[in-house]
Amino acid sequence: MNSIARSHMRELLETEQCMTCASVFDPLSSRMAESIGFKVGILGGSVASLMSLGVPDITLLTLNELANQARRVCSASDLPVIVDGDNGYGNSLNVMRAVEELEYAGASVITLEDTILPRPFKGPALSLISVEEGKTKLKAAVKARKDPAFSIFARTHALESQPLDELLTRVKAYSETGVDGICIFGISDKDKLAKISEATDLPLMLISYGDVDLGTPDELAQQNVRIRLNGHRPYEESVKAIYRSYMELHLGNEYSETEKSAQDIIKKYSQSCKYSDITTDFIFPANTQT
């Protein structure tokens, strides 16, 4: 366990500042982020899936595989690391096991989301568990925690498919379970952020992608936003560098660089695995994809 990182994370959450979160995925990236001056990092589930299995984020990564990767990342430095615990890998009992494993692995924070995973047969791209079940799972997570310095954040994806009132209902309900913070996925609107901030006294973590203007760090801090993650650019840039290096080594002077996006490279090589056809044929048949 990294008690130094956890204690520092607790102190940071109590200060009025909004910290940019570094996407870390291996020991070197963890050390680099800390050395450069980042105060917090995150091991994302999608990145961990690519690092461990070379497959996209289709719920194939197991808890043990995530915990093993988290252990390497968290033990490499004193950087407080948030670990994406997905939905806790099942019901409330599975959530308790996830908390135990990731706490032991050295994580400073675990995020637990209210999505239904894996995606059901012929099911929509995103489904949410009920508010009642979400509260039950979060209470189970708090009960399973051994180190009081280990933080638990409730993560909700309600903004992707539900009206704002439903999101606010979830934020208020989750805030009453004993968790240490609320993580909002897909936020892009300042007015919605203001209402979310009013709905809870807990620290907020925001996850967004692309060019999203939610305000300056000082403005976000005043709304109780403590952590801001904008995608996993460090991992994506490393993928691009590896691809370019291989092409130059293989083709030499014949290689004429044409800029490929990290997303294109990842899509090409992660979907060349055996699971891609199986996923399409047996989980999301063509006539039912959403």
Side-chain angles (χ1 to χ4, degrees):
M1 296 189 299
N2 197 329
S3 57
I4 295 176
R6 280 189 195 149
S7 298
H8 188 41
M9 185 77 246
R10 282 285 185 177
E11 293 170 0
L12 291 170
L13 290 175
E14 293 175 1
T15 62
E16 190 172 318
Q17 62 176 315
C18 177
M19 300 170 286
T20 299
C21 188
S23 178
V24 294
F25 44 87
D26 65 5
L28 280 180
S29 63
S30 176
R31 291 175 189 146
M32 281 191 281
E34 181 186 33
S35 176
I36 288 169
F38 284 92
K39 296 178 181 178
V40 61
I42 185 170
L43 174 61
S46 58
V47 174
S49 181
L50 289 166
M51 287 288 294
S52 299
L53 303 176
V55 302
D57 194 9
I58 52 176
T59 327
L60 285 179
L61 188 74
T62 67
L63 173 58
N64 282 343
E65 288 166 333
L66 175 64
N68 286 335
Q69 188 69 9
R71 189 173 296 109
R72 288 187 282 268
V73 172
C74 296
S75 65
S77 74
D78 287 327
L79 178 75
V81 175
I82 303 164
V83 178
D84 174 4
D86 276 344
N87 70 339
Y89 292 86
N91 62 21
S92 294
L93 295 177
N94 302 112
V95 166
M96 296 179 78
R97 176 72 189 280
V99 168
E100 291 172 354
E101 291 293 330
L102 294 177
E103 180 179 337
Y104 184 72
S108 292
V109 181
I110 180 176
T111 60
L112 295 167
E113 63 192 57
D114 53 6
T115 54
I116 296 176
L117 297 172
R119 181 175 170 181
F121 177 68
K122 296 187 178 181
L126 176 68
S127 298
L128 301 181
I129 59 177
S130 67
V131 175
E132 182 182 8
E133 183 179 1
K135 290 176 62 178
T136 300
K137 292 175 72 172
L138 293 171
K139 288 178 181 178
V142 172
K143 185 176 182 179
R145 172 172 52 192
K146 295 179 181 178
D147 183 355
F150 180 54
S151 298
I152 299 170
F153 272 48
R155 170 170 161 171
T156 180
H157 284 241
L159 264 183
E160 295 182 272
S161 62
Q162 303 293 323
L164 180 61
D165 287 346
E166 171 66 16
L167 170 70
L168 297 178
T169 296
R170 289 176 181 266
V171 168
K172 292 175 182 177
Y174 298 165
S175 297
E176 298 172 352
T177 61
V179 297
D180 307 288
I182 301 291
C183 177
I184 306 296
F185 182 88
I187 182 75
S188 60
D189 185 279
K190 289 183 178 180
D191 293 334
K192 289 181 179 179
L193 174 58
K195 292 181 179 179
I196 293 169
S197 179
E198 293 172 357
T200 181
D201 293 328
L202 294 179
L204 294 175
M205 174 179 176
L206 307 182
I207 299 177
S208 57
Y209 290 85
D211 187 15
V212 175
D213 180 17
L214 293 172
T216 66
D218 286 342
E219 290 170 341
L220 290 173
Q222 291 172 9
Q223 297 186 82
N224 218 22
V225 177
R226 295 292 170 263
I227 303 167
R228 173 85 189 277
L229 172 68
N230 189 11
H232 296 286
R233 181 179 172 186
Y235 177 74
E236 293 171 353
E237 291 294 330
S238 72
V239 168
K240 289 172 62 176
I242 291 169
Y243 179 82
R244 182 174 62 252
S245 176
Y246 283 153
M247 293 297 288
E248 291 172 349
L249 285 169
H250 180 62
L251 296 176
N253 294 333
E254 297 179 13
Y255 175 56
S256 177
E257 181 174 354
T258 55
E259 185 68 18
K260 283 184 174 290
S261 71
Q263 289 81 3
D264 287 341
I265 298 170
I266 291 170
K267 182 177 180 180
K268 178 179 180 179
Y269 294 104
S270 67
Q271 291 190 349
S272 64
C273 68
K274 63 183 177 182
Y275 298 107
S276 297
D277 292 339
I278 294 173
T279 300
T280 301
D281 294 341
F282 298 132
I283 308 299
F284 321 132
N287 62 344
T288 62
Q289 288 186 29
T290 59

